[in-house]
Amino acid sequence: MKMVTTVNFKEELVSKVASVDRIIETFLPGETTLSKDLAKAMNYSMKAGGKRLRPLLMAETFKAFYKRDWIMSGQEEGSVKVLWAFMAALEMIHTHSLIHDDLPALDNDSLRRGVATTHVVFGEDIAILAGDALLNYAYETAFTSFDTENADKERIGRALQILGEKTGLFGMLGGQSVDVKNEKKAIDYRMLEYIYANKTGALLEAAFMIGATLAGADRHEIFAMEGIGYKVGFAFQIQDDILDITGSEQELGKPLFSDDKNNKVTYVTLRGMEEAKRQVKLLTKEAVSALEEIAPGQEFLLSLIESLTGRKK
Ligand code: GRG
């Protein structure tokens, strides 16, 4: 595959992730009032880091269609403020899913983002509530964008619709339910594809689609970005399967062999390690070509997508 790596990709990535961290931090709930213990549990996992991939993809897609330079340079335009709220909201939804995914009733993991999982630190009861509260707070956060001066309310409405659909029954939660119901069963490729497209792919699709929507992209462009999100999401989950076997616990920040422990059929168990690696590269190549066609000249975004094939965490 031809790598389109930008000259200082790694430095740029570090600096952009730091910007995303700062943006997210401004939307986190204060740890005040009698419910401060819940807020602490919500903030614990949000502040533990993570790659911030979804908000970063959203911001870069926004930039591609907004046709202005990097949008974290102190510009205070309404559209940018709205984008920030949606970046934080998507990361909250993603973090909610991780808190719940780690619970004893689901994967029962005790390490996430390099630190003890929320239920280990705060107890199972508060971890359940923290996941619920983060999911709700995500929408509270996204709704605040209606208060932004000169905001385009129609775009906000459409972005909310995407956020809701991609999170719920016909997105991440639906996919996760099929995954959970079929643990320890010999599922076929069709079902595996459904699970991956939804439990992992849907939020990545949302990142690309919302970024494009808030920047004023048309329906055709948003549809194309959904397709790119599908491919990136599928490749991302296959790489997750690979890393669950070949990765390092320290780099991943979560335990290895989680799939084996839970008797899960994965792309690797179904098609083999070599085919899994080949498929990650193929899907990435297709996503990159589609992006070059619909939004030419997005070097950082292309490099970011390509970097996921070799990710170790
Ligand atoms: C509501 C009971 C209940 C459960 C919900 C929806 C859900 C649990 C879980 C979603 C499924 C899930 C965790 C899918 C895996 C997707 C994935 C590979 C997550 C890891 O994402 P990264 O690598 O994580 O981007 P960081 O920590 O870097 O943000």
Side-chain angles (χ1 to χ4, degrees), residues 20-39:
V20 172
D21 278 338
R22 281 195 294 277
I23 289 166
I24 289 172
E25 181 105 28
T26 65
F27 290 96
L28 295 180
E31 295 172 10
T32 55
T33 81
L34 274 182
S35 57
K36 60 178 176 299
D37 288 340
L38 181 58

Side-chain angles (χ1 to χ4, degrees), residues 105-244:
L106 283 100
D107 283 358
N108 193 18
D109 281 326
S110 52
L111 190 69
R112 170 71 72 177
R113 293 179 161 170
V115 296
T117 45
T118 308
H119 66 271
V120 168
V121 177
F122 296 89
E124 203 177 336
D125 44 7
I126 290 294
I128 293 171
L129 288 173
D132 289 344
L134 260 185
L135 179 60
N136 200 69
Y137 206 70
Y139 291 100
E140 292 173 59
T141 301
F143 289 144
T144 63
S145 54
F146 280 117
D147 300 331
T148 305
E149 217 177 311
N150 300 324
D152 186 320
K153 297 198 169 47
E154 200 195 319
R155 286 183 198 173
I156 296 174
R158 278 189 275 129
L160 280 168
Q161 196 179 0
I162 295 166
L163 193 66
E165 278 179 15
K166 295 293 179 188
T167 298
L169 175 61
F170 303 112
M172 178 185 70
L173 288 164
Q176 176 73 356
S177 71
V178 178
D179 194 16
V180 166
K181 287 298 282 179
N182 289 284
E183 254 176 29
K184 304 179 181 53
K185 289 188 189 156
I187 61 169
D188 61 11
Y189 184 76
R190 194 185 56 88
M191 190 178 283
L192 187 88
E193 187 178 14
Y194 180 89
I195 293 169
Y196 284 20
N198 287 285
K199 82 161 184 177
T200 307
L203 286 197
L204 289 159
E205 288 171 13
F208 286 104
M209 292 171 79
I210 292 172
T213 299
L214 294 178
D218 65 29
R219 287 164 73 92
H220 166 70
E221 289 167 325
I222 295 165
F223 182 69
M225 294 317 289
E226 183 176 28
I228 291 168
Y230 172 86
K231 289 181 191 299
V232 171
F234 209 91
F236 190 82
Q237 183 56 55
I238 300 175
Q239 184 69 13
D240 213 62
D241 300 345
I242 296 171
L243 289 174
D244 191 54

Side-chain angles (χ1 to χ4, degrees), residues 3 239 243 280 305-313:
M3 296 296 273
Q239 184 69 13
L243 289 174
V280 170
I305 293 170
E306 284 182 336
S307 73
L308 298 175
T309 58
R311 74 184 173 97
K312 302 216 170 352
K313 61 178 189 170

